[in-house]
Amino acid sequence: MASDRLQLTSWRRTVARLYAEVRAQADPAEGHAIWRAGRDDLFRNHPQSPLTDDDPLRDTGVPYWPYDPALRFTLELRPAAEQRLAIPTSSDGDIVMKRIGRVELPGFHGQSGFGLDVWWLDQYGGGLFLPLRDGTAAHESYGAGRYLLDSAKGADLGGDDDSIVVDLNFAYHPSCRYNYRWECPLAQEGNRTEVRVEAGERLS
């Protein structure tokens, strides 16, 4: 058990370093390439990889849509009515989340804009959490949705006191997409849209 906890600490430490390297890049597309390579290395080699030993993604890498610079935004965090959720899990007790605001994404590629609730993981050291379930879900991306930010685990693209960087190219599947041993908070109603986000990690 102690070894598992240390391996998980190592995973989170590596993810935090990876995102720090991404934020340091002047060209977001270069940062995205670094992120993809880093995630593939973690999935292939780290003992906390959610992939089973025989998963072909260990050899091929995780599939993504090509990077699209039009899908990167710096968005003001706008007020939203407070909402608190406690999501039960079978192994870690409740995951407690508190809505702290909302971001509004502009339209892109002929599609309408949409809003997303921004959550605070109200436990441990806390952290921003931004899930997304879009129009590709259940067909081209995981049916339960993807994550854009999870700063409690180091997934943070930057921002300032009033805004956050949201880059749809960095949408990724939670570990529960790969392995039932992981339990993940999913996209709530305020984090769902019918707009197709053809960016980030995909199923194939």
Side-chain angles (χ1 to χ4, degrees), residues 186-199:
L186 306 178
Q188 303 298 311
E189 187 62 34
N191 294 85
R192 300 175 185 175
T193 178
E194 294 303 314
V195 172
R196 290 177 55 81
V197 177
E198 296 180 6

Side-chain angles (χ1 to χ4, degrees), residues 45 141 147 154:
N45 299 312
S141 64
Y147 293 172

